[in-house]
């Protein structure tokens, strides 16, 4: 038992470090991607957003794209921050406590938020990338894919898991306080 | 909590120290303290049995039911 606790602590420390790096990488990569968009192939973005990107994007379009992409990126950053906190708690030996249950609740909330952010960011991004087009050629696209629905489904599962963990925490406290 | 633990009263009557009772009963001093301060959520029959045996008393000497509403009224009357 002690050995598995040590293993949890060791891996939690490593994962917490990786998550700390990811927390800062998410906004950096987002900003760098759009700032260097003219040097990168944008076929993937065109396919995902269903908008044509014929030539180089002006700076204003790229800045608006950054703002639109920061919505889901911000939600991802929040999710990574919650995970970092969760692994920090595991590292301190807190496994079935109110704080860890709170982290699971927050993770479920993050997935619900990511669904909303994803649905909102597509029209915003498509508008940002076509706003410099002449009137009549500007586009707003809407998209709802299976990854969005998966996030919603996993979020609901995590919410139930958080309830189960809260019950587990109550039972463990009951056992601790039974003399 | 309407069940009050009167373990400290019984310990004083028997002239026994907490750590001595904890040792005799086979529980930790911390757990006995949880019991004494009324923070325990449950008491095992085996623990109660051992406490009563070593303190030469009945469960009713250690555990007392106090109606929380009545207790509150009594406190108001006193003031």
């Amino acid at each position: 038992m002690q050995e598995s606790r040590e293993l949890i602590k060791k891996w939690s420390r490593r994962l917490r470090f990786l998550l700390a790096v990811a927390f800062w990488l998410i906004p950096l990569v987002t900003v760098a991607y759009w700032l260097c968009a003219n040097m990168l192939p944008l076929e993937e973005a065109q396919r995902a957003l269903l908008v044509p990107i014929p030539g180089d994007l002006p700076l204003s379009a790229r800045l608006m794209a950054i703002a639109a992409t920061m919505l889901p990126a911000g939600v991802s950053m929040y999710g990574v921050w919650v995970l970092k906190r969760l692994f920090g708690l595991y590292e301190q030996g807190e496994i079935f406590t109110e704080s860890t249950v709170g982290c699971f609740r927050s993770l479920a909330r993050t997935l619900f938020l990511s669904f909303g952010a994803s649905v909102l960011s597509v029209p915003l991004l498509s508008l940002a990338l076509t706003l410099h087009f002449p009137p009549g050629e500007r586009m707003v696209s809407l998209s709802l894919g299976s990854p969005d629905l998966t996030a919603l489904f996993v979020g609901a599962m995590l919410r139930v898991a958080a309830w189960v963990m809260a019950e587990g925490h109550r039972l463990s406290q009951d056992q601790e306080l039974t003399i | 909590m309407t069940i009050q633990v009167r373990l400290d009263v019984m310990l004083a009557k028997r002239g026994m120290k907490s750590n001595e009772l904890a040792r005799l009963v086979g529980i930790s001093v911390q757990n006995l303290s949880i019991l004494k301060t009324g923070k325990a959520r449950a008491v095992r029959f085996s623990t109660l049995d051992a406490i009563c045996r070593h303190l030469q008393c009945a469960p009713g000497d250690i555990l007392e039911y106090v109606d929380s509403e009545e207790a509150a009224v009594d406190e108001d009357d006193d003031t």
Side-chain angles (χ1 to χ4, degrees), chain A residues 170 173-174 176-179, chain B residues 27 31 40-44 47:
Chain A
R170 197 188 61 77
Q173 261 210 329
D174 272 0
E176 268 174 37
L177 294 174
T178 297
I179 312 298
Chain B
I27 59 173
N31 276 351
R41 289 201 186 159
V43 185
R44 287 190 187 91
T47 310

Side-chain angles (χ1 to χ4, degrees), chain B residues 48-63:
Chain B
L48 195 58
D49 179 86
I51 290 172
C52 290
R53 188 163 5 103
H54 292 291
L55 287 178
Q56 298 282 301
C57 65
D61 298 326
I62 303 166
L63 305 174

Side-chain angles (χ1 to χ4, degrees), chain A:
Chain A
M1 181 151 167
Q2 192 61 31
E3 199 180 314
S4 64
R5 287 254 167 152
E6 284 307 312
L7 214 60
I8 291 171
K9 283 184 184 180
K10 190 170 86 178
W11 277 98
S12 296
R13 189 166 45 247
R14 288 176 185 171
L15 285 169
R16 199 169 58 84
F17 172 74
L18 283 176
L19 289 163
V21 174
F23 181 81
W24 293 109
L25 268 182
I26 293 168
L28 285 176
V29 169
T30 305
V31 172
Y33 177 82
W34 287 112
L35 286 182
C36 307
N38 290 336
M39 290 179 265
L40 299 166
L42 291 173
E43 284 87 11
E44 188 58 42
Q46 291 187 64
R47 252 198 308 274
L49 298 168
L50 305 168
V51 292
I53 306 174
D56 279 358
L57 286 167
L59 182 65
S60 60
R62 282 180 283 151
L63 290 177
M64 280 191 287
I66 288 173
T69 323
M70 278 314 278
L71 193 67
V75 175
S76 300
M77 282 173 77
Y78 174 67
V80 168
W81 179 79
V82 172
L83 275 174
K84 194 170 138 286
R85 193 163 165 264
L86 178 68
F87 284 110
L89 290 167
Y90 286 166
E91 202 183 323
Q92 287 162 18
E94 286 191 37
I95 294 171
F96 286 106
T97 64
E98 267 176 49
S99 309
T100 54
V101 172
C103 284
F104 272 87
R105 246 183 253 129
S106 301
L107 279 175
R109 197 180 311 130
T110 309
L111 285 162
F112 292 138
L113 282 174
S114 86
F115 169 79
S118 171
V119 169
L120 265 176
S121 73
V122 172
L124 288 175
L125 194 56
S126 57
L127 186 69
L129 296 177
T130 57
L131 203 62
H132 63 284
F133 287 2
E137 288 181 34
R138 293 167 187 160
M139 291 171 75
V140 173
S141 63
L142 271 170
S143 140
L144 186 69
S146 56
D148 305 319
L149 297 174
T150 305
L152 214 56
F153 183 65
V154 175
M157 282 201 298
L158 263 181
R159 191 72 189 81
V160 176
W163 283 330
V164 173
M165 280 190 72
E167 191 58 22
H169 167 63
R170 197 188 61 77
L171 287 173
S172 118
Q173 261 210 329
D174 272 0
Q175 202 184 1
E176 268 174 37
L177 294 174
T178 297
I179 312 298

